[in-house]
Amino acid sequence: MPVRIIGMIGVTPPSSDATLHVIEGGLSPSYVTEAARAHEAAGFDLVLVGYSSSAAEGFLVALHAAEQTQRLGYLVAHRPGFVAPTLMARKIATFDHLTGGRLAVHIITGKTDDEQEGDGDFTPKAERYRRAAEYLELMKLAWSSAQPFDFAGDFYRVKGAHSDVRPLQQPHPLLFFGGASDGALAMGAKLCDVYAIYAEPLASTRERMREFRAQAAAFGRVPGFNVSVRPIIAASEGAAWDRANKILAAMTGEEGGKENRKKGWSRQEAMSGPVDNAGRRLMSFALERDVHDERLWMPIARVTGALGNTSCLVGTADQVALAILNYYRLGVGSFLIRGFDPLNDTVDFGRELIPRIKAGAAEIDRLQAAE
């Protein structure tokens, strides 16, 4: 199956060429259009539209971007709990039809309690995972039931629920999820299609995939996997490492001043360490050593508290593509790649990196088929 390449679009122009997160900061419709068109031209298959408790609403951002593009798909982050699941099922189905089947949904339950509280949700995180699982079950019933149905769970109850609109993609758009807690894994193994993880060393990634495959198999399911990583590429390996260290200096305030130290995620600006299990995993590898597997570079994860996608692959385009293809050989079918200079890196990835990844994956598939 062809490898899937995912990017991420922000909602307003970045303040520097060492930008960590792009999900907040107001809204510039023209920038959203520019970013989406750049990703489409670069050969990305999907772009992630993120979520925070203060950011512009992701489905509306994605719908605006979809109207300005022809082929690009949109992976929209969604937090169960704020919209009724039957309504969300219709919303997703409607979006899927309006965009010609260019939707995927990333299910997240909230990174921190205080951010959830900003939108009025005071439910503990472990309970949010149980609620999200019930939410997904109810959405799937709305998509699949030909007749009105009743549902009574711990969190939701409906009577005579029915949807006139079904997703264009059958049985529904791909459902991604992330997380490393028991609750996240239980929900994802039973109900989601793609497990999204941050780039870790190959050995730990292989083991993590093996364990999750076994967990999903208990429900008769075969999951897909996505790895998120920040490529830092240049014409020579030395230039790539120089660029990486320059970005690190900007992150620590050693270059460019305090404005470059903004994380771009308002409720995490004051955080100095990981805020979830996925971040704690990433931080453990960052503290263990700076470089794993020759070019998986972890200092930015360390200095930013592993707040989000902060593991990097550093080298020439050939070297980074080969490193990404090592994950593909493990069975990772999609990759979320984004840089610290969002628009310029998008163009560079389209010219230098994505063709190498897609050609390399096709060759691996060809050799495996021949065997």
Side-chain angles (χ1 to χ4, degrees):
M1 186 173 180
V3 65
R4 183 188 301 114
I5 305 297
I6 306 174
M8 184 172 184
I9 57 172
V11 291
T12 194
S15 59
S16 76
D17 59 0
T19 299
L20 188 61
H21 294 308
V22 295
I23 61 175
E24 294 182 344
L27 178 63
S28 168
S30 62
Y31 179 77
V32 170
T33 296
E34 183 182 14
R37 288 176 173 169
H39 279 84
E40 183 165 74
F44 284 83
D45 300 295
L46 292 162
V47 287
L48 173 64
V49 181
Y51 183 108
S52 85
S53 60
S54 66
E57 202 284 317
F59 278 88
L60 292 177
V61 169
L63 188 59
H64 170 74
E67 290 174 346
Q68 312 301 320
T69 53
Q70 301 298 317
R71 177 196 56 79
L72 188 66
Y74 295 87
L75 174 60
V76 183
H78 175 61
R79 291 187 182 176
F82 299 110
V83 178
T86 48
L87 173 57
M88 195 64 215
R90 300 196 303 275
K91 183 174 180 177
I92 288 171
T94 301
F95 190 107
D96 200 36
H97 276 275
L98 291 175
T99 61
R102 291 190 283 151
L103 175 66
V105 181
H106 185 53
I107 302 297
I108 51 178
T109 62
K111 212 163 183 67
T112 63
D113 289 342
D114 71 323
E115 194 191 0
Q116 288 293 112
E117 291 166 5
D119 272 334
D121 182 16
F122 292 81
T123 308
K125 190 166 188 177
E127 194 169 327
R128 293 202 299 269
Y129 280 118
R130 292 198 304 113
R131 181 181 66 188
E134 192 172 292
Y135 187 101
L136 292 175
E137 289 177 4
L138 188 44
M139 280 208 308
K140 289 186 175 186
L141 277 173
W143 289 328
S144 63
S145 298
Q147 302 297 326
F149 65 92
D150 300 341
F151 180 94
D154 294 333
F155 302 92
Y156 299 102
R157 179 171 178 261
V158 298
K159 185 175 182 180
H162 181 66
S163 177
D164 293 332
V165 59
R166 310 295 174 84
L168 182 61
Q169 301 174 79
Q170 286 294 312
H172 52 73
L174 284 175
L175 298 175
F176 287 60
F177 85 102
S181 68
D182 290 343
L185 296 171
M187 177 197 74
K190 183 179 180 181
L191 294 159
C192 296
D193 305 304
V194 180
Y195 184 19
I197 58 179
Y198 299 137
E200 298 180 355
L202 290 166
S204 69
T205 302
R206 182 186 297 108
E207 180 62 16
R208 194 172 183 187
M209 292 171 65
R210 184 193 66 77
E211 291 174 353
F212 186 70
R213 283 192 182 108
Q215 193 169 353
F219 299 99
R221 309 186 75 247
V222 179
F225 296 90
N226 178 87
V227 162
S228 298
V229 70
R230 304 273 194 143
I232 301 175
I233 60 173
S236 69
E237 184 174 8
W241 286 111
D242 287 345
R243 186 180 176 205
N245 285 310
K246 183 178 180 181
I247 294 169
L248 178 63
M251 293 290 171
T252 57
E254 295 173 10
E255 180 176 308
K258 290 184 178 180
E259 69 276 4
N260 283 345
R261 281 183 277 172
K262 296 282 286 183
K263 298 185 179 81
W265 204 333
S266 60
R267 290 181 182 271
Q268 294 187 20
E269 291 299 338
M271 300 291 184
S272 59
V275 296
D276 58 7
N277 287 318
R280 282 186 278 275
R281 280 186 65 97
L282 208 59
M283 182 61 88
S284 70
F285 295 114
L287 293 174
E288 185 179 314
R289 63 175 67 97
D290 283 354
V291 181
H292 297 260
D293 299 330
E294 190 175 4
R295 57 191 73 262
L296 180 65
W297 190 63
M298 306 302 290
I300 288 178
R302 187 181 67 248
V303 302
T304 60
L307 297 177
N309 175 14
T310 47
S311 46
C312 306
L313 287 171
V314 182
T316 66
D318 281 329
Q319 290 169 330
V320 170
L322 289 173
I324 287 173
L325 291 170
N326 284 333
Y327 291 95
Y328 186 75
R329 289 185 177 91
L330 298 181
V332 177
S334 68
F335 298 89
L336 195 158
I337 58 172
R338 60 190 180 109
F340 297 96
D341 185 0
L343 276 179
N344 289 326
D345 284 340
T346 294
V347 174
D348 285 347
F349 294 165
R351 183 178 59 247
E352 303 291 344
L353 192 55
I354 292 175
R356 288 172 164 86
I357 296 170
K358 292 195 170 185
E363 179 64 11
I364 290 169
D365 291 347
R366 187 189 68 79
L367 293 173
Q368 289 178 344
E371 292 173 359

